[in-house]
């Protein structure tokens, strides 16, 4: 045991500390934190600021954005906070709430000694959307259906599918806490009966209760939309396929997929993947964890800062992190316009969560939804 406890400032998320310095208007972040008794390393402070700029919680001039103010209210890593906020905006809340809870908890999948192969096969049976996160969400949804089915054995289901009951219940509890935090922040608007139901969960009595997100917040829960919101939230945590391997767009580093990834070793891997984190393995390789496929058009619509070179027919995102060629100038103009409208719309919702969208804004959001519905239908047809 360490002779002295690690100072709290060194145990807390630096991203959270940076947001609080900005909200309290304490001046320069680096100077304020450097003057603390047990100051974090300057390079770590800088890394936290850069991450907040990437996630759009801070501007390039390090000013707090409306999104940053909302993220400061949530008990989450900023990337996961953005995930559940965008889940509200884009109406796929149950999936994003659950995924945020999963990534903040232990994995619900178990791999007992001597049964790893069977556990891997059980996990792959839940594969969905070329996404590790949709796969685990699918397993979670199957568990919930089992729990709510009269006569079904939860214990038998978990044993058969190599799932951990305690970990699943921990995920459900955390999901409830996140839903409450969204409601308290004014971002999740509930009718009276929905508010009463959520208030019952606050007490977490001995009787098991599942979180029910309002159906109107789950109108766009197709795989393509959820994978896009994941990528939008985690950006610039994106991999580009490079021959038989992968390259991290943020630093051009060569990366492998974790052996348990559903995209590892498949015949036709996606061109682009988002990921949640990268870890160095015992053999010194860097492995990306929690990857999800993302379509090129979704990257062009949602991620980073885009430069539309109309005459050259090129969309450049964040310098040269991502580059797309677009032959049709009308399509480029449509992407540019929709991007701008979407940014304006989300900025307003982050600034004033309770304010109703204007008819024109609802129209633009409807166009966004129809584009994804069309591509989802097109992809489903291609798989048949």
């Amino acid at each position: 045991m360490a002779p002295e406890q690690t100072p709290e400032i060194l145990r807390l998320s630096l991203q959270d500390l940076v947001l609080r310095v900005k909200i309290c208007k304490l001046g320069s972040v680096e100077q304020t934190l450097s003057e603390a008794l047990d100051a974090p390393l300057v390079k770590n402070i800088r890394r936290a600021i850069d991450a907040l700029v990437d996630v759009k919680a801070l501007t390039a001039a390090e000013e707090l954005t409306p999104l940053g103010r909302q993220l400061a209210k949530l008990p989450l890593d900023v990337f996961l906070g953005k995930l559940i906020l965008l889940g509200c905006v884009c109406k796929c809340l149950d999936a994003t709430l659950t995924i945020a809870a999963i990534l903040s908890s232990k994995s619900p999948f178990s791999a007992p000694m001597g049964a790893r192969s069977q556990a891997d096969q059980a996990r792959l049976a839940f594969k969905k959307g070329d996404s590790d996160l949709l796969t685990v969400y699918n397993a979670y949804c199957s568990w919930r259906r089992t729990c709510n089915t009269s006569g079904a054995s939860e214990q038998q289901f978990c044993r058969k599918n190599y799932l951990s009951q305690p970990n699943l219940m921990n995920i459900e509890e955390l999901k409830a806490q996140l839903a409450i935090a969204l409601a308290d922040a004014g971002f999740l608007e509930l009718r009276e009966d929905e508010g009463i139901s959520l208030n019952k969960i606050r007490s977490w009595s001995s009787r098991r209760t599942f979180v029910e997100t309002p159906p109107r917040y789950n109108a766009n829960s197709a795989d393509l939309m959820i994978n896009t919101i994941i990528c939008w939230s985690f950006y610039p945590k994106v991999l580009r396929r490079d021959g038989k391997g992968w390259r991290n767009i943020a630093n051009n580093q060569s990366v492998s997929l974790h052996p348990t990834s559903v995209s590892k070793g498949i015949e036709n891997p996606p061109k682009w993947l988002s990921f949640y984190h990268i870890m160095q393995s015992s053999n010194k390789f860097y492995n990306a964890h929690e990857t999800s496929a993302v379509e090129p058009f979704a990257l062009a619509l949602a991620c980073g800062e885009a430069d539309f070179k109309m005459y050259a027919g090129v969309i450049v995102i964040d310098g040269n992190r991502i580059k797309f060629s677009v032959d049709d100038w009308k399509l480029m103009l449509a992407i540019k316009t929709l991007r701008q409208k979407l940014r304006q719309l989300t900025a307003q919702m982050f600034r004033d969560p309770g304010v109703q969208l204007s008819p024109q804004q609802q129209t633009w959001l409807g166009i966004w939804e129809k584009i994804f519905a069309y591509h989802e239908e097109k992809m489903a047809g291609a798989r048949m």
Side-chain angles (χ1 to χ4, degrees), residues 189-295:
E189 294 186 25
L190 301 173
R191 294 194 290 262
E192 184 177 356
D193 59 322
E194 295 166 344
I196 291 171
S197 177
L198 193 61
N199 281 331
K200 287 180 181 177
I201 294 176
R202 288 177 190 264
S203 62
W204 275 103
S205 63
S206 57
R207 184 174 178 273
R208 174 184 291 183
T209 308
F210 289 109
V211 182
E212 297 293 343
T213 52
R216 63 186 177 281
Y217 282 100
N218 296 311
N220 299 320
S221 293
D223 295 351
L224 179 59
M225 176 66 84
I226 299 170
N227 276 343
T228 298
I229 299 307
I230 290 170
C231 183
W232 189 359
S233 305
F234 292 177
Y235 184 85
K237 299 179 182 183
V238 174
L239 303 178
R240 180 183 66 250
R241 198 168 76 237
D242 183 27
K244 293 184 178 180
W246 301 88
R247 199 162 288 278
N248 185 349
I249 67 162
N251 55 17
N252 208 34
Q253 181 183 58
S254 180
V255 176
S256 299
L257 303 186
H258 190 266
T260 61
S261 173
V262 297
S263 295
K264 179 78 171 180
I266 61 176
E267 189 174 339
N268 294 305
K271 172 71 174 175
W272 303 90
L273 289 172
S274 66
F275 65 91
Y276 183 55
H277 70 277
I278 289 176
M279 293 181 66
Q280 191 173 17
S281 63
S282 57
N283 57 11
K284 304 301 181 183
F285 287 113
Y286 288 94
N287 289 333
H289 295 246
E290 289 88 33
T291 62
S292 296
V294 60
E295 292 296 310

Side-chain angles (χ1 to χ4, degrees), residues 15-23 52 57 64 68 71-72 78:
Q15 295 168 359
D16 186 56
L17 280 173
V18 170
L19 287 177
R20 299 196 182 286
V21 168
K22 300 303 293 186
I23 286 174
L52 290 169
L64 199 63
L71 292 175
V78 291

Side-chain angles (χ1 to χ4, degrees), residues 20 23 104 129 145 148 228 241 299 320 376 383:
R20 299 196 182 286
I23 286 174
S104 303
R145 284 193 297 272
N148 291 323
T228 298
R241 198 168 76 237
L299 282 166
N320 275 321
E376 185 76 33
R383 288 192 292 265

Side-chain angles (χ1 to χ4, degrees), residues 127-136 227 230 262-263 291-293:
K127 181 180 176 180
K128 203 168 189 286
D130 287 331
S131 167
D132 297 327
L133 295 176
L134 283 181
T135 296
V136 69
N227 276 343
I230 290 170
V262 297
S263 295
T291 62
S292 296

